[in-house]
Amino acid sequence: MEQMIVAAVQMNSIVGDIEHNLNSMKKWVETASEQNIDLICFPEMCITGYAMPQSIEFSETMCGDSVRYVLEMSRDFNIAISAGISEKYDDRVYITQFIAEDGVLKGKYRKTHLGEKEKLYYAAGNSIETIKCKNANIGFQICWESHFPEISSILALNNADIILMPHSSGLPPNRRKDVWDKCLRARAYDNTVYVIACNQLGDNGLGTVFGGGCTIIDPRGDILAEDYNSKDSMIAVNITPEILDKLRRKEYTSMKDLYYLNRRRPELYKKLTENEFQ
């Protein structure tokens, strides 16, 4: 990973009003560009808006106008952009988060662990991969997937430096902070990765209200920046590779600098992971 400035945005997205949502994103991209930010993360399905099943009506392919617009923004403002969409592919739809950089689609992630309502309408992705970008290797966990530690570990074992966790959650700000402080700090600490999370905010145009929130956490599980105010906002911090390099090295001087992943004993876990819970 290279030294870089990263940002997370909590924002309001209106279901089906894609022009409004893209214009809101563009304002934050412009602001981020002025601050020389290298990577900006927007919430889950920020382009389409989030509602079950109404979002399906506004699904687009990865070759559609919305994705093309984000690609162009990444080139014009010289910034990597992560955004979410309801993706149409063949006869299925997916909850998809992607990264645009230098006008190119660097990669995408289709949500693999769907919520109870989501699975009634959306297909689950079947791949957990790390995406190589210019300054860092990026992985995704979308919304409630942050509660699955296996996803974080898979990404970390595949050399992820940063895990982006875009949300569409209705938890109010105080409850959102409480949950994230418990699970996201553990995801970062146990896997020696930076975690960047953000959430949709406000009424989605159909009466569902999202609680907002954004946070950036370092590989020791310490909060670098956070915002749980009830208006659209962006947080940004400078992150460096030194802490990753120090913790991931094979030699260490004390337990506080231990890299947990290379002390695992997978042979003990194999039987458990190969069998369903009884």
Side-chain angles (χ1 to χ4, degrees):
M1 193 190 93
E2 302 293 331
Q3 180 169 321
M4 59 191 298
I5 305 175
V6 297
V9 173
Q10 60 173 348
M11 63 171 280
N12 176 244
S13 293
I14 305 300
V15 175
D17 195 344
I18 293 175
E19 182 179 3
H20 168 272
N21 299 337
L22 288 173
N23 285 336
S24 295
M25 290 173 60
K26 185 178 181 181
K27 292 177 182 177
W28 288 115
V29 169
E30 290 175 336
T31 299
S33 178
E34 292 170 356
Q35 298 178 22
N36 296 315
I37 288 170
D38 300 290
L39 168 68
I40 185 169
C41 183
F42 291 98
E44 175 186 20
M45 288 174 66
C46 59
I47 294 173
T48 317
Y50 183 100
M52 297 294 124
Q54 294 92 333
S55 295
I56 291 176
E57 179 183 348
F58 307 101
S59 300
E60 297 184 30
T61 70
M62 296 304 294
C63 298
D65 292 340
S66 296
V67 175
R68 189 178 306 113
Y69 185 83
V70 176
L71 294 178
E72 291 171 355
M73 280 199 294
S74 74
R75 180 197 63 213
D76 295 344
F77 292 97
N78 191 30
I79 184 172
I81 304 170
S82 175
I85 194 170
S86 178
E87 181 202 358
K88 179 167 54 179
Y89 181 77
D90 289 339
D91 58 346
R92 296 185 175 186
V93 286
Y94 297 91
I95 296 173
T96 300
Q97 192 83 7
F98 65 93
I99 297 181
E101 184 178 63
D102 297 328
V104 175
L105 179 65
K106 300 296 290 187
K108 67 177 185 292
Y109 170 72
R110 291 168 173 162
K111 193 172 187 177
T112 55
H113 297 63
L114 299 174
E116 293 303 304
K117 288 185 178 180
E118 294 169 349
K119 69 170 90 172
L120 298 175
Y121 309 107
Y122 282 87
N126 57 12
S127 179
I128 301 172
E129 298 178 355
T130 300
I131 299 168
K132 185 173 180 58
C133 293
K134 186 164 50 180
N135 295 317
N137 296 323
I138 309 293
F140 286 112
Q141 287 180 253
I142 300 178
C143 204
W144 89 307
E145 290 185 328
S146 62
H147 295 282
F148 293 84
E150 296 89 347
I151 300 177
S152 305
S153 295
I154 289 168
L155 291 168
L157 288 166
N158 281 291
N159 301 312
D161 303 306
I162 301 168
I163 299 179
L164 302 180
M165 298 189 180
H167 284 59
S168 290
S169 170
L171 290 181
N174 59 338
R175 178 64 177 145
R176 166 54 51 213
K177 175 174 169 52
D178 180 57
V179 170
W180 279 359
D181 282 353
K182 291 174 181 176
C183 66
L184 300 198
R185 296 179 72 174
R187 300 294 92 80
Y189 181 80
D190 289 344
N191 296 287
T192 313
V193 292
Y194 286 97
V195 166
I196 302 173
C198 56
N199 190 25
Q200 285 204 35
L201 175 70
D203 195 309
N204 69 348
L206 299 175
T208 297
V209 178
F210 297 102
C214 46
T215 187
I216 300 174
I217 304 168
D218 79 5
R220 289 192 183 277
D222 293 327
I223 297 171
L224 300 178
E226 63 181 6
D227 189 356
Y228 295 93
N229 292 320
S230 58
K231 60 181 181 180
D232 287 21
S233 65
M234 180 180 74
I235 57 174
V237 297
N238 182 38
I239 62 174
T240 65
E242 283 79 12
I243 188 171
L244 292 175
D245 295 341
K246 180 177 182 180
L247 294 174
R248 289 175 177 178
R249 67 187 182 188
K250 294 183 179 180
E251 300 297 328
Y252 62 96
T253 57
S254 70
M255 291 292 288
K256 71 180 179 64
D257 294 330
L258 186 65
Y259 181 47
Y260 298 105
L261 289 181
N262 65 2
R263 270 72 175 183
R264 295 161 61 254
R265 294 187 58 192
E267 73 277 8
L268 300 179
Y269 325 142
K270 185 175 181 181
K271 186 175 181 180
L272 175 64
T273 56
E274 287 181 347
N275 294 278
E276 295 181 358
F277 292 110
Q278 299 301 316

